[in-house]
Amino acid sequence: MTETETIAAAINQIDEKKQKLKKAFDDLQSHRSLLSPSFPLSWSDIDSHFSSLQSSLSNRFRLLQSQPPSPNNASPRIETADDPEPPLVVIRPELRALCEKMDSTGLSKFLADHWDDDAMPNQELSAAFRYSPDPATMVLNAIDGSSKGKSVDVRRVFVLLMEALIEINDKNITLDTKEKAKKVADNWNTKINNKPFEALLFLHLLAAFELGSEFNSEELSRYVVMIAKYKQATLLCNKVCLDKERVGEVITKLLSIGKPILAVRFMYECGRTDGFEPVSVLKGYVKEAREAAERVCKEDKYSLKSQNEATDKEVSALRAVIKIIKDRNLEAEFSEERVEERVEELERQKAQRKRNVEPPQPKPKGRKRPRDRTQVYRQEAGGVMIEPSHHHGLQLNPFGVVNPARGGILGPYMSPVAAGLYGAAAIPQPVCYGQQAGFVMPPFHPSYYSQ
């Protein structure tokens, strides 16, 4: 047993040890007369303390399990035919208690409330199910009795429950439970139509309660094609007991609708590599991906957008092929390096296109036109002096007034047409103001403005 398994086993024994502690505490309480009257502890205080510690240890251990092993001291568990037992996992005390009590409603609520908890793997739920007296009945009651209105789609909770039940080999499903599950399945079957997720839910129910033989295999194979994009598709295909011929029909259908990667996945995971040639399918897919990329560019006259879109699609297709080559050890039949070289080439081309696009030149920031301001007047010792902030070309004489002889009066105030219309009377004459203390010059108004 590895160190990780030893820790997991110790944490799982906390409940048992806590029961022994409670028995000892009860014995102590029977001699309460011998204790100090101020003895402060009660069992609820002790139980709360140890439950808090147990929850903290469990969470820390799950976090430790989720971390990748160190390359220097990695010691992965190797499953062999002589070692069928799954690795030990830490089970949350509240989850274990719900399973022990067969609390189906509480179990559904717990899963819905912890839906966003990344530390809720199927392995933990399956391990908790082993503490239930009848896990199949508990799951069926949870499915049949759950109501809507939860924080998550209740159907996703159903899928999680049934996935965990599928992993248990010794479910011991009773005839009564199986009959009830069949009625639920009949009801769900009428709601599928062409909805992939409803088909996924239905197939999970058949797999979990071993009902595949109760339904038409041709109909089931059609549902498998509908859910082929889901990661559970091949598992469900095997669990609903489709025969070799029906699996072949699924693969053929996927190839005909342009889903070669999914078809190859079914070939390997459903044991049909003998009737098909997965490597040839992959090579054809690589060729088609390149031709499809060329069509995308040609249709949009090789615009930058179409080139980038075509590159992204082809790279995505090639990466899917690379993954299958690695997962299935196909390097001897299909050169992984050539596919990776093509990916690198496409990414270089995209990067070069990005560098060749010149960024838009920023508009020059010109000077803002100054706002016209009214003349500022200030009193000097012995008289008044005009101090304009902007005079727009008006010529001022030494006395600080407009000099009409220099033509300044036809600036912003009057056009030549207006001057002709109104005659000489429209042109203000030079005015000299005496050096009078305290005198403030009135604002200047051309004669054709209303006073």
Side-chain angles (χ1 to χ4, degrees), residues 202-214:
F202 174 72
L203 292 175
H204 268 92
L205 184 64
L206 301 193
F209 293 91
E210 301 173 356
L211 297 171
S213 60
E214 302 288 333

Side-chain angles (χ1 to χ4, degrees), residues 377-386 399 431-442:
Y377 307 95
R378 63 174 182 166
Q379 183 176 351
E380 296 275 336
V384 176
M385 182 175 181
I386 301 176
F399 296 99
V431 179
C432 297
Y433 296 95
Q435 304 296 321
Q436 302 177 22
F439 178 82
V440 177
M441 181 177 180

Side-chain angles (χ1 to χ4, degrees), residues 4 6-15 17 48-66 89-94 119 124:
T4 301
T6 302
I7 296 172
I11 294 177
N12 286 333
Q13 291 174 1
I14 291 178
D15 286 332
K17 293 181 178 180
S48 176
H49 175 70
F50 276 96
S51 296
S52 176
L53 290 176
Q54 182 180 6
S55 179
S56 177
L57 287 172
S58 299
N59 290 334
R60 289 172 180 268
F61 184 65
R62 277 192 297 273
L63 181 61
L64 179 63
Q65 285 181 308
S66 66
V89 296
V90 173
I91 307 168
R92 272 167 265 209
E94 56 268 42
E124 181 184 357

Side-chain angles (χ1 to χ4, degrees), residues 147-204:
S147 59
K148 296 182 179 180
K150 299 181 184 298
S151 58
V152 297
D153 187 345
V154 70
R155 299 174 304 167
R156 299 185 181 277
V157 174
F158 294 167
V159 168
L160 183 61
L161 286 167
M162 290 185 289
E163 282 182 346
L165 185 61
I166 289 171
E167 293 185 9
I168 300 178
N169 295 323
D170 53 343
K171 292 186 280 286
N172 296 323
I173 305 174
T174 64
L175 288 177
D176 181 57
T177 300
K178 201 165 187 176
E179 289 177 2
K180 291 179 180 178
K182 174 69 165 52
K183 291 180 181 179
V184 175
D186 288 332
N187 181 37
W188 284 7
N189 194 19
T190 62
K191 301 176 182 179
I192 293 176
N193 296 323
N194 292 316
K195 302 173 184 176
F197 195 83
E198 298 298 334
L200 181 72
L201 197 66
F202 174 72
L203 292 175
H204 268 92

Side-chain angles (χ1 to χ4, degrees), residues 5-76:
E5 292 171 339
T6 302
I7 296 172
I11 294 177
N12 286 333
Q13 291 174 1
I14 291 178
D15 286 332
E16 180 182 349
K17 293 181 178 180
K18 192 164 61 174
Q19 290 300 321
K20 293 181 180 179
L21 179 62
K22 185 177 186 306
K23 183 179 180 181
F25 183 82
D26 291 340
D27 291 341
L28 180 63
Q29 288 291 88
S30 64
H31 300 85
R32 190 176 185 86
S33 59
L34 302 177
L35 299 176
S36 170
S38 60
F39 184 68
L41 291 178
S42 65
W43 173 249
S44 61
D45 294 331
I46 297 174
D47 182 59
S48 176
H49 175 70
F50 276 96
S51 296
S52 176
L53 290 176
Q54 182 180 6
S55 179
S56 177
L57 287 172
S58 299
N59 290 334
R60 289 172 180 268
F61 184 65
R62 277 192 297 273
L63 181 61
L64 179 63
Q65 285 181 308
S66 66
Q67 300 298 321
S70 171
N72 296 328
N73 55 4
S75 55

